[in-house]
Amino acid sequence: MSLADTFSLAGRTFTSRLLVGTGKYKDMDETRDAIAASGAEIVTVAVRRTNIGQNPGEPNLLDVISPDRYTILPNTAGCYTADEAVRTCRLARELLDDHKLVKLEVLGDQKTLYPNMPETLKAAETLVKEGFEVMVYCSDDPIAARLFAQMGCVAVMPLGSLIGSGLGIVNPYNLRIILEEATVPVLVDAGVGTASDAAVAMELGVAGVLMNTAIAAAGNPVLMASAMKKAVEAGREAFLAGRMPRKLYASASSPLDGVAFR
């Protein structure tokens, strides 16, 4: 990829369009190595499930993903109400020295981990008013995506499919509608299972893809992280190049027009 093909988020410029999480790895060393192999510049951390300084004496995740190297993206995974999510973001701000960039997710239930959109909208409104730079995990609803952008969220992150499902992009048509009228970066969040899923997402024209389980639950997480890096880059290049038109019938790759036969 050309170094000129960057994207901007909350006033920052990034080269990598792959964002990764930190959960489900077997240990800190695997976490460190997989994230390094992914080439990601933004790493998301579940504040309610991971120690980033709130539990002195326990291993600190920031020892292997240094804020000097990565942009840390605190997230509100495990929150089921707006109030819980807002409190979690405030805690992250204190732990990370007035850090304002956060990933908001408010879940509806434990079975689907589908976003609770009324609570997400409520939390987003509060956080934006408090000066947070909110990247918001949401359903693939074009109207909701528009509302989040209008209220001041810095990115919308519609799901590709359910968190941890590995089903890939199940509704590309809604994502295309969201992209058509997007005024902030759109990143696919959740559902990617393998490299081809990441490429498909990028071919739609999204700004980036966030994933965790697809890498951490792979047989070889470090190798899968490397594959995801390449897939995101390939999908982005394919989007920029523009795919050939789809046709119902065959079209010869070597036309015979103007060729003389004996």
Side-chain angles (χ1 to χ4, degrees):
M1 288 297 294
S2 168
L3 292 177
D5 181 42
T6 59
F7 80 103
S8 296
L9 182 66
R12 304 166 180 83
T13 300
F14 299 96
T15 300
S16 173
R17 294 173 180 271
L18 174 59
L19 293 70
V20 295
T22 54
K24 303 182 181 180
Y25 291 100
K26 67 180 182 182
D27 54 35
M28 289 284 197
D29 289 342
E30 186 177 77
T31 303
R32 179 196 60 227
D33 294 345
I35 291 172
S38 75
E41 296 168 300
I42 302 175
V43 180
T44 187
V45 176
V47 178
R48 292 168 63 92
R49 298 172 177 165
T50 305
N51 181 34
I52 57 172
Q54 68 270 43
N55 300 313
E58 296 183 8
N60 189 328
L61 184 61
L62 299 185
D63 290 339
V64 296
I65 51 162
S66 170
D68 294 333
R69 177 175 179 181
Y70 301 103
T71 294
I72 305 300
L73 179 63
N75 70 60
T76 61
C79 293
Y80 291 86
T81 68
D83 288 343
E84 286 179 337
V86 170
R87 285 198 302 271
T88 300
C89 288
R90 290 171 179 162
L91 173 61
R93 182 173 57 189
E94 296 300 318
L95 291 170
L96 298 172
D97 299 325
D98 201 33
H99 186 89
K100 293 181 173 61
L101 184 66
V102 295
K103 178 196 166 189
L104 171 64
E105 56 181 88
V106 184
L107 306 176
D109 60 59
Q110 294 185 4
K111 181 178 181 180
T112 68
L113 301 182
Y114 201 80
N116 181 325
M117 295 305 291
E119 289 292 294
T120 303
L121 284 161
K122 181 181 176 182
E125 186 173 20
T126 298
L127 292 169
V128 169
K129 287 180 179 178
E130 292 188 7
F132 284 93
E133 298 164 336
V134 181
M135 301 172 64
V136 56
Y137 166 65
C138 58
S139 63
D140 55 357
D141 177 349
I143 305 304
R146 182 194 305 158
L147 290 173
F148 286 124
Q150 289 174 343
M151 73 169 56
C153 293
V154 299
V156 293
M157 307 179 74
L159 51 79
S161 52
L162 297 182
I163 291 174
S165 69
L167 292 175
I169 310 302
V170 298
N171 194 346
Y173 307 105
N174 273 21
L175 292 177
R176 285 177 176 172
I177 295 171
I178 291 171
L179 286 163
E180 278 183 7
E181 59 177 46
T183 57
V184 297
V186 177
L187 299 94
V188 164
D189 180 9
V192 168
T194 191
S196 57
D197 297 331
V200 167
M202 293 304 300
E203 287 171 9
L204 292 173
V206 298
V209 179
L210 189 152
M211 65 183 73
N212 183 191
T213 307
I215 296 175
N220 185 329
V222 177
L223 187 58
M224 182 61 81
S226 176
M228 290 299 189
K229 175 184 177 180
K230 298 179 181 74
V232 167
E233 291 174 349
R236 176 64 179 174
E237 289 185 352
F239 170 73
L240 294 175
R243 65 158 291 139
M244 62 168 284
R246 289 180 171 88
K247 299 179 181 179
L248 181 61
Y249 294 105
S251 176
S253 59
S254 299
L256 300 179
D257 295 348
V259 178
F261 290 93
R262 293 183 179 178

